[in-house]
Amino acid sequence: IERIPKEYIRPEEERPSIGDIFAEEKMGGGPKVPTVDLKGINSEDLEVREKCREELRKAAVDWGVMHLVNHGIPEELIGRVKAAGEGFFGQPIEEKEKYANDQAAGNVQGYGSKLANNASGQLEWEDYFFHCVFPEDKTDLSIWPKTPSDYIDATREYAKQLRALTTTVLAVLSLGLGLEEGRLEKEVGGMEELLLQMKINYYPKCPQPELALGVEAHTDVSALTFILHNMVPGLQLFYEGKWVTAKCVPNSIIMHVGDTVEILSNGKYKSILHRGVVNREKVRVSWAVFCEPPKEKIILQPLPETVSEADPPRFPPRTFAQHIKHKLFRLTDQEGADTPKPDE
């Protein structure tokens, strides 16, 4: 096609900010998403360890997003995860449709191209595959792709290693708030209840990229989000009033602080507004893993230690489910406080 369907065209006021992603990625100068080298994060050398942890904490305070390098997850495993995801999307549409989700029935896991509740009502220029990848007892392997044959093994192993990295990062962020190191992990559900949900985003080439977005501007509701991509630029962050394009950093995992950690820290750590931009030359694929607290079991609110007279609570208490509803429907605090029914 030469023109995109009108459902994908962004509102006029948004379009001037959508530029050529390749040109923007090459530009020097201006603010840059921080790169944090995790090599020393558990070093026995106190000075090395503290320097590394301080860099991570500072990036979480200033930006809420960073490239993690030397994260400890083998390059070979990441290569398998990417090959498996790209292999799935490379299949004919009728093969992918066998895994189609059913939004109307409330079943969001599986393959789809229309997310039900993006805030603007516009469609986003992407296909996706969404499923829970950890803990293993909460995954449904029947909906995981059987082709490529390595998909299940590679994805499972990656999820396990990412879960260990999550513990490490949450420990550093806890210490950065003056809390004991296991505290944030406990507050988001711990090993049993924190869910890792993977969404593989497939952004086809777009004939009019200046009119569309792959994913519209949003903050993540998660505690943390970890992202791999196929080295095609597309991520933009809204930093100090401007859209900043993230450069592609080899062998890195992008990590976002999500709303959940922002709320628990009373805004000391940032959940940054970001979006995905598309292009006409290259397909972009990204693998996002959202670390989410249980929907109903935990009340999300600023931890008492993060609150003072000078810094009162910035967020009202809500369950994770209420927080999602509040964001989707822009509810007032009063309406958002209604307890959602279990099927919502």
Side-chain angles (χ1 to χ4, degrees), residues 48-251:
V48 170
R49 187 170 74 233
E50 285 312 312
K51 183 173 179 290
C52 176
R53 292 180 172 190
E54 176 54 25
E55 275 178 27
L56 174 59
R57 193 195 66 80
K58 189 174 183 314
V61 167
D62 294 349
W63 279 81
V65 64
M66 61 204 80
H67 302 281
L68 301 179
V69 296
N70 290 316
H71 41 68
I73 299 181
E75 222 175 298
E76 178 264 343
L77 175 61
I78 286 175
R80 284 171 58 203
V81 169
K82 290 181 175 182
E86 287 176 334
F88 173 78
F89 280 101
Q91 298 179 103
I93 186 78
E94 48 279 8
E95 284 303 309
K96 292 183 282 196
E97 284 289 355
K98 289 177 184 170
Y99 298 93
N101 59 17
D102 185 353
Q103 294 274 1
N107 179 17
V108 294
Q109 295 202 70
Y111 171 71
S113 62
K114 292 181 178 141
L115 276 178
N117 285 318
N118 59 349
S120 69
Q122 305 295 124
L123 293 180
E124 297 168 316
W125 194 262
E126 67 155 353
D127 279 3
Y128 63 89
F129 195 96
F130 180 77
H131 59 118
C132 177
V133 293
F134 195 91
E136 286 190 358
D137 64 349
K138 292 190 169 70
T139 60
D140 177 4
L141 288 183
S142 72
I143 59 144
W144 290 36
K146 310 289 179 286
T147 309
S149 57
D150 191 35
Y151 185 96
I152 291 176
D153 286 349
T155 304
R156 267 181 128 164
E157 182 54 33
Y158 176 62
K160 211 179 292 175
Q161 298 212 18
L162 208 50
R163 184 62 185 83
L165 181 59
T166 302
T167 294
T168 302
V169 169
L170 288 173
V172 173
L173 294 179
S174 279
L175 293 168
L177 293 171
L179 307 168
E180 62 278 15
E181 63 182 295
R183 180 69 180 282
L184 278 179
E185 168 133 352
K186 180 170 154 275
E187 295 289 347
V188 297
M191 202 48 92
E192 286 74 40
E193 296 285 353
L194 185 70
L195 287 184
L196 270 56
Q197 313 258 27
M198 180 186 269
K199 181 171 172 246
I200 309 176
N201 301 294
Y202 180 90
Y203 305 103
K205 296 176 195 176
C206 180
Q208 295 176 296
E210 67 287 350
L211 298 181
L213 285 175
V215 172
E216 67 184 17
H218 66 286
T219 61
D220 289 352
V221 292
S222 59
L224 301 172
T225 304
F226 295 94
I227 302 171
L228 300 172
H229 58 79
N230 64 339
M231 294 300 284
V232 174
L235 173 65
Q236 292 188 324
L237 300 307
F238 197 67
Y239 184 74
E240 294 185 340
K242 288 195 180 69
W243 285 107
V244 174
T245 299
K247 299 204 179 297
C248 293
V249 175
N251 305 323

Side-chain angles (χ1 to χ4, degrees), residues 35-53:
T35 295
V36 176
D37 186 341
L38 295 185
K39 198 171 172 190
I41 198 142
N42 291 317
S43 169
E44 287 178 12
D45 181 326
L46 180 67
E47 204 174 312
V48 170
R49 187 170 74 233
E50 285 312 312
K51 183 173 179 290
C52 176
R53 292 180 172 190

